[in-house]
Amino acid sequence: MARLTNFGDIVAGDLNPPGMAVIDLRGGERCFTRGQIAADIAALADGLKHAGYARGDRIAIAAENSYEFVLAYLAVMRAGLVVVPINFKLPAETIAYILRDAGVVAVLVDRERRHLVPPGMMTYSIDATDPDAFRGIWGAGGGPAEPVETGEIAEILYTSGSTGRPKGVPLSHDGQIWALELHRTDAADETTIVVAPLYHMNGLFNVTLGLINSVPIVLMPRFDARDYLKAIAKYRCTKLSGIPTMFALAARELDLVSSLDLNCVRQITIASAPLTAALVERVSGLFPNAAIQNGYGSTEAGPSIFGDHPLGYPRPLLSLGHPLPMISWRLTGGPSEDQGVLELKTPALLEGYLNLPEASGERIHDGWYVTGDVLRRDAQGFFYFVGRADDMFVCGGENVYPGEVEKMLERHPGVHQAAVVPVEDEIKGQIPIAFIVPSPGQSPSAADLKAFALREGPAYSHPRAFEILDALPVAGTHKVDKMALVKAAEAVARRLER
């Protein structure tokens, strides 16, 4: 078996046996074998290579989850080009910024997202409803994957940052292959389902993990709790992954759950946001035969950092697990050597953020990546998530930075000051609540402020409630007393639940 070097070559015929690869549920049901996806990736890669693009050119994808997205993602890399998945839920201005920042020369796009591509940029259709246009860019295929050098960039993923602008994370072929190889296994009789968007590392990792292990993938275009549960039962899925929000919503569908056989599920990984014991208990009720584990990964350092204990100790409830092989770690700035901000050094680590030397210098020190997550380690070597070193919080699996929401709200002509704090929420994990001091002579309504927030920023970060105050409370440091606002926000959240 030849050694895998090009990340886009993970379904090459000499690496995987034949069998079902993808069951695409976008717009119905379409099934694709391993042989078909391998041939289609090779044909699309061949077409891209002959379209005049130079080695390392950046090609973006703006599309919903689909078989075509998976083809495009792998084919771009197989052709020796760099793929840039786009979070199409971001504002159009932010998407345009990402395309400029990454130096994108063309966009592979589906019909519903075409309007997000700036005028004048080269586009190719990858929509299943337009098969002639999609196949029109294919070549003959049949040739090998483009050989790549050690450290050569395969993809650039964009992740939210403390500046508010998404940061480009260049990731290498060999680093991402290393991350997958850690989880190479004999996965006979397994089926996985992926609903996380493929512009995020969570979704991409689980799709590529299924492909490299020859595990059939049920691919959903977006999350709907009832459709998700029905698909798990219909296709007898054994492995699930997702964020707490997904499973909290699924746990509410008790009438449907009672009519489905979900005993097929054997493993569930919940990641990308803090996990609670209460949610684990509810998910266990849905899937009685499943082992549930708390996942942890990083776009910058590796999609999966922790695993089982090397001595076989059972993983405690809510533990992230034990560091995987070849992962160096340290905890800094905490009260002891067993608690602090997690820093990582792995073969998948980025060299630096794209075009951001200052941000790179803040987060990468002598080859160590500063995650910003505070973790603790127990006596057996298991790790647990404690919180963020800064005030970032997670709402529905998305990073929300209060300062950026505040700055956005203060652009409203009726807002003099804004303060945003998170409160706990069963479905979203945490939600933002805003406190507003109006501009003199102004009285903005909650509906007006909400519409402004939805228009000016990502939908996931908009405050779920607005409280009007004469003045913001201040602490002894003369800074806004966020702790006092958190208590007030909890009262606001209780009113929302009524």
Side-chain angles (χ1 to χ4, degrees):
M1 179 184 296
R3 186 174 71 91
L4 179 63
T5 58
N6 185 314
F7 190 41
D9 207 27
I10 60 174
V11 288
D14 62 338
L15 290 177
N16 293 291
M20 186 60 63
V22 176
I23 302 170
D24 183 359
L25 300 186
R26 185 173 190 257
E29 178 190 87
R30 296 182 298 153
C31 300
F32 302 92
T33 65
R34 299 197 66 78
Q36 184 172 356
I37 191 172
D40 290 349
I41 291 169
L44 179 53
D46 187 56
L48 291 171
K49 284 198 290 187
H50 288 87
Y53 296 111
R55 177 74 166 269
D57 276 348
R58 282 80 185 271
I59 308 291
I61 305 176
E64 198 170 48
N65 289 7
S66 66
Y67 175 72
E68 287 73 22
F69 190 118
V70 176
L71 288 188
Y73 175 69
L74 295 170
V76 169
M77 293 184 288
R78 195 176 196 274
L81 308 173
V82 177
V83 65
V84 185
I86 299 295
N87 179 349
F88 54 79
K89 294 183 180 179
L90 293 170
E93 185 276 331
T94 305
I95 292 173
Y97 162 78
I98 290 172
L99 296 174
R100 293 193 306 271
D101 185 62
V104 167
V105 297
V107 183
L108 299 163
V109 63
D110 62 15
R111 180 183 56 190
E112 293 86 351
R113 260 55 60 174
R114 188 176 296 275
H115 70 283
L116 296 173
V117 180
M121 179 161 280
M122 184 66 188
T123 61
Y124 298 99
S125 172
I126 58 167
D127 199 301
T129 63
D130 191 12
D132 291 338
F134 183 37
R135 291 180 177 271
I137 60 175
W138 291 17
E146 190 73 14
V148 296
E149 304 291 335
T150 300
E152 186 169 342
I153 299 303
E155 60 184 331
I156 303 172
L157 303 185
Y158 274 78
T159 181
S160 297
S162 58
T163 63
R165 287 281 200 184
K167 298 195 294 289
V169 181
L171 300 171
S172 67
H173 286 268
D174 48 303
Q176 296 309 295
I177 290 170
W178 167 83
L180 282 183
E181 291 288 358
L182 285 175
H183 299 274
R184 181 74 78 99
T185 184
D186 180 6
D189 301 322
E190 298 279 11
T191 300
T192 189
I193 183 168
V194 175
V195 67
L198 296 183
Y199 53 73
H200 272 181
M201 176 59 84
N202 187 310
L204 288 173
F205 179 63
N206 283 292
V207 163
T208 52
L209 193 60
L211 291 174
I212 202 167
N213 284 325
S214 302
V215 173
I217 302 160
V218 179
L219 184 62
M220 296 186 68
R222 71 196 73 86
F223 179 75
D224 175 89
R226 296 181 75 85
D227 289 345
Y228 182 65
L229 291 166
K230 290 176 183 176
I232 292 168
K234 177 179 178 179
Y235 298 102
R236 312 308 297 157
C237 297
T238 60
K239 302 178 69 172
L240 314 182
S241 61
I243 63 175
T245 302
M246 288 171 40
F247 292 101
L249 289 168
R252 289 186 168 186
E253 304 294 338
L254 297 179
D255 62 322
L256 177 62
V257 170
S258 65
S259 69
L260 299 175
D261 178 6
L262 300 173
N263 291 318
C264 53
V265 180
R266 299 195 292 265
Q267 180 181 334
I268 302 174
T269 301
I270 306 178
S272 301
L275 182 61
T276 66
L279 180 59
V280 171
E281 182 178 356
R282 287 195 292 273
V283 174
S284 295
L286 295 180
F287 309 103
N289 292 336
I292 301 171
Q293 60 185 27
N294 196 1
Y296 181 91
S298 164
T299 303
E300 289 90 341
S304 181
I305 302 300
F306 300 99
D308 294 334
H309 199 287
L311 298 180
Y313 298 143
R315 186 183 301 195
L317 181 69
L318 302 187
S319 169
L320 302 172
H322 187 279
L324 290 164
M326 295 181 65
I327 290 179
S328 299
W329 61 270
R330 63 190 186 190
L331 300 175
T332 64
S336 74
E337 63 179 10
D338 290 321
Q339 181 167 320
V341 175
L342 176 67
E343 298 185 8
L344 296 168
K345 183 182 290 186
T346 80
L349 185 68
L350 82 166
E351 290 189 3
Y353 291 107
L354 186 67
N355 306 323
L356 293 172
E358 291 187 7
S360 300
E362 292 172 358
R363 300 298 291 271
I364 303 170
H365 303 151
D366 299 323
W368 289 89
Y369 170 65
V370 182
T371 67
D373 293 322
V374 179
L375 271 60
R376 67 176 176 87
R377 184 177 64 140
D378 69 14
Q380 290 185 323
F382 287 106
F383 282 71
Y384 302 79
F385 180 82
V386 175
R388 286 290 298 178
D390 55 24
D391 65 352
M392 185 276 287
F393 64 97
V394 177
C395 177
E398 300 281 358
N399 293 348
V400 177
Y401 291 87
E404 296 307 310
V405 182
E406 291 162 2
K407 286 191 289 186
M408 176 269 294
L409 291 173
E410 289 178 0
R411 295 203 302 266
H412 188 288
V415 175
H416 174 62
Q417 280 183 292
V420 174
V421 295
V423 295
E424 299 297 321
D425 180 79
E426 182 180 2
I427 298 299
K428 296 293 186 181
Q430 292 177 301
I431 56 173
I433 304 294
F435 294 86
I436 302 296
V437 177
S439 299
Q442 300 290 318
S443 55
S445 68
D448 179 38
L449 292 169
K450 180 177 180 178
F452 180 85
L454 288 169
R455 184 172 67 251
E456 296 295 319
Y460 56 76
S461 70
H462 83 278
R464 293 344 188 239
F466 296 84
E467 288 289 288
I468 306 298
L469 302 177
D470 293 332
L472 297 177
V474 294
T477 59
H478 301 290
K479 295 181 180 179
V480 174
D481 188 350
K482 288 290 187 81
M483 292 304 298
L485 289 178
V486 167
K487 294 179 181 178
E490 290 170 350
V492 173
R494 287 193 292 271
R495 294 203 302 269
L496 292 175
E497 294 173 355
R498 294 173 186 169

